Structure formats: structure tokens, C-alpha cells
Amino acid sequence: MSATDPQPNPHAARPCAAGDLQRIAARESVLGEGMKIRRALPTRERRTIGAWCFLDHFGPIGVEHGAGLRVGPHPHTGLQTFTWPIAGEILHRDSLGYQQVIRPGQVNLMTAGRGISHSEESPTDRSPTLHGAQLWIALPDSHRHIDPAFEHYADIPSLERDGYRITVMAGEALGLRSPVRLYSPLVGLELLSAKGGTLALPLQPDFEYGVLVLEGAIRFCGETAKPGELLYVPTGHHHADVHSDGASRTLLLGGTPFTDGLLMWWNFIGREKEEITQYVRDWNAGADSMGNVKGYDGARLVAPLPPWAQPQGE
Ligand code: MN
């Protein structure tokens, strides 16, 4: 560190207040075979919060009848997928051979590194409702080509405070540490309240944060938040007041601003256009580098060619 480093001055940190927050509307998108989801990152206004680079809120949706969630085999590079169901189950299969049903309170963490593929589906034996979040974490330059990996975490730490159950899904907070393997300074908390309450929550001044409400409504630093939007909290704050009048469930995702230049296309993260084009061609050609998912009853997805690689005139 030197005097010229753009580190936030800890003496300048203060509690966050309503005027500090940016409100970003999530956009509707479709996951797999027709499941509508709300995507809060990336948006036109903001691409990352720390290394969190993709925030999908899916459901609640009835899956008792019909096929439920079905996302056929598809690849990833340069990121970790972080799956957090709050109702229902998802069956994951990947090209490393892992097959894992995830349930509420658990984390499935798939580290793509240089390349992996997986499928996600509602298992045959399932609860009537599916609801949750799938988040992506960009890998920093130092780790984006590591070997692919899959980890299932059944035991995620939590504590009760001020009418909230606070679960430390990722990183460290309030003296608890999540076991989830990360490669950059990050935190992910779930704030669950059955009847409402007011919570005084410490923030890390060098972290920026995103507030994603999954159920109910809250006030965060005096600003109302509800499902379908993201509140962005810039660095420089050491404290947040969280208030809800009734039942609510909120994800608070933070990290040090991600400075490695990202190029995201479809399910790939890279740095250069040529690199992404190669990933698309490799996957569509069935190259070994992206792996092969066994056991999914359906077709693998086809990677769309990025606009810069389209033949001229099309
Ligand atoms: Mn995926």
C-alpha cells in the first residue's frame, strides 16, 4: 500500500443513509425451459458488486405439475456458481461426475475455472414450490484458469439477533465464517425475519454492497427495498440499519470493488473477445475442455455466437 493507493479512508467511513443508495430495477429473464426469473445483475447501471457478477431471483413458482426447472447441460468458465434455494430442491449434475440435490439452507458451489459443464433440474421427488437465488462470483485474474471443482455445503453458520436469523452464506460477519471457498474478499448474508425488527448491522468500509429482497419488504439505511429491485451501497460505510415491519428475507452481498476487466457472454466469463469466441466454438464442437454431463434427460444447450464473431452480412 502506498499514499497513492485509492484505499477508502477508514476515518471517513460513516453509517449509510438513504441518500447514499442507488436503486436498480431487476429485469425479467428466462431460465432454462421457460422459468421466468428476475435478474438484478448485470444491469445497464451496474455490472458487479465485489466479485458478485450475476444475481438471479427465481420463483416462487409451483413445480408440482409439469416439468419444473429444467436447464440442460451448459458450460461455464471464469466464475463460481452459488446456488441458494429458500424453498424446494434442485438436482445438479456436472461434468466432474457430481450429482447433488440441494435443499434450503445449503450451498452448492461450482467453480468453473478453466471450464466445466452442468445441468440443473427439479428432481422427480420434490416439494410443490421452488424459490431461491442463483448468484455468480467472478474469479479474479489470479484464479480464473484453476481446475474446475464442485462443493456441496450442508452446514452454513447462522445466529439470531434483534428479531433476525442471520446466515453467513459466504465470507465472514458477526464472528461467523462461512466454509464456502472463495477467491476474493466477499460476503453474502441472508437476513430472515419472521415478525420484523430493527437490526444494527456492521458493514466493512472497503466493501460495496447490494441489497436483494427475496420476500416481504425492508428499510435498509432508511430506503425501502422489495423484490424486483437491487439497492446498491457504495464503499465508505461502517454501519447499516435494517428494519422490517413484518416477515422478510433479504440477501446482502458485498465485496471489494472488482477491478479485473470482465467480458461476460452467455455462460462464459473471460477477458478478451477472442477468448470468448473460442469458448463458444469449443462448447459447440463438444471439446473435452468443457466436459460432458451424463444422466440429464434432454439436449445440451447451444452457445450463441457473440455479435463480434458473426459472419459479415448476417
Ligand atoms: Mn449454470
Side-chain angles (χ1 to χ4, degrees):
M1 190 166 159
S2 76
T4 54
D5 280 339
Q7 298 290 335
N9 176 356
H11 302 293
R14 56 188 173 79
C16 82
D20 297 325
L21 279 62
Q22 179 189 15
R23 184 182 304 275
I24 297 170
R27 56 199 168 97
E28 284 214 339
S29 191
V30 173
L31 185 65
E33 297 174 13
M35 182 172 289
K36 276 192 188 155
I37 55 100
R38 305 179 189 95
R39 185 159 294 158
L41 276 187
T43 58
R44 193 165 36 80
E45 295 94 334
R46 178 143 294 277
R47 301 191 60 75
T48 53
I49 292 174
W52 300 100
C53 61
F54 198 90
L55 311 183
D56 270 0
H57 176 193
F58 55 86
I61 186 168
V63 292
E64 207 164 8
H65 307 290
L69 175 70
R70 280 180 61 79
V71 186
H74 61 279
H76 289 287
T77 58
L79 59 89
Q80 297 175 292
T81 64
F82 183 107
T83 308
W84 181 254
I86 61 175
E89 306 81 19
I90 300 170
L91 169 59
H92 157 100
R93 305 176 201 265
D94 66 40
S95 55
L96 300 176
Y98 289 98
Q99 179 174 322
Q100 179 70 54
V101 174
I102 182 176
R103 297 185 165 81
Q106 306 177 342
V107 171
N108 268 5
L109 180 79
M110 186 179 78
T111 301
R114 59 185 160 73
I116 195 170
S117 49
H118 72 149
S119 62
E120 293 155 294
E121 63 193 294
S122 296
T124 311
D125 184 15
R126 61 189 184 238
S127 308
T129 302
L130 180 64
H131 191 188
Q134 191 178 73
L135 316 173
W136 293 2
I137 301 166
L139 289 169
D141 285 350
S142 56
H143 288 84
R144 69 189 189 96
H145 295 302
I146 58 176
D147 289 343
F150 175 80
E151 286 146 296
H152 174 74
Y153 298 96
D155 202 9
I156 302 295
S158 69
L159 56 78
E160 301 273 353
R161 179 181 287 194
D162 299 336
Y164 288 79
R165 170 153 291 275
I166 304 170
T167 303
V168 182
M169 306 184 303
E172 282 183 65
L174 305 169
L176 299 180
R177 181 201 289 260
S178 162
V180 170
R181 188 193 306 262
L182 300 173
Y183 296 93
S184 59
L186 278 189
V187 71
L189 304 181
E190 184 190 73
L191 313 175
L192 175 65
S193 182
K195 296 180 196 156
T198 300
L199 171 69
L201 192 65
L203 301 180
Q204 285 187 235
D206 58 337
F207 277 19
E208 55 184 354
Y209 291 90
V211 179
L212 188 73
V213 177
L214 301 182
E215 294 179 306
I218 64 164
R219 279 207 317 274
F220 192 91
C221 301
E223 198 73 62
T224 60
K226 58 185 191 306
E229 59 189 21
L230 176 73
L231 289 186
Y232 172 69
V233 186
T235 59
H237 303 101
H238 59 59
H239 177 94
D241 283 321
V242 182
H243 177 83
S244 60
D245 291 322
S248 67
R249 188 192 303 258
T250 300
L251 301 187
L252 180 66
L253 306 163
T256 54
F258 197 79
T259 52
D260 300 345
L262 292 183
L263 190 57
M264 294 175 68
W265 173 255
W266 196 51
N267 292 297
F268 300 118
I269 291 186
R271 298 295 185 269
E272 309 292 338
K273 287 179 176 176
E274 296 69 27
E275 182 184 21
I276 297 283
T277 305
Q278 194 59 49
Y279 290 151
V280 168
R281 294 191 196 288
D282 286 349
W283 170 251
N284 288 343
D288 290 341
S289 57
M290 298 288 163
N292 189 18
V293 181
K294 292 194 175 72
Y296 183 81
D297 178 22
R300 72 207 293 275
L301 307 187
V302 175
L305 207 56
W308 61 82
Q310 302 279 351
Q312 279 212 324
E314 281 185 29

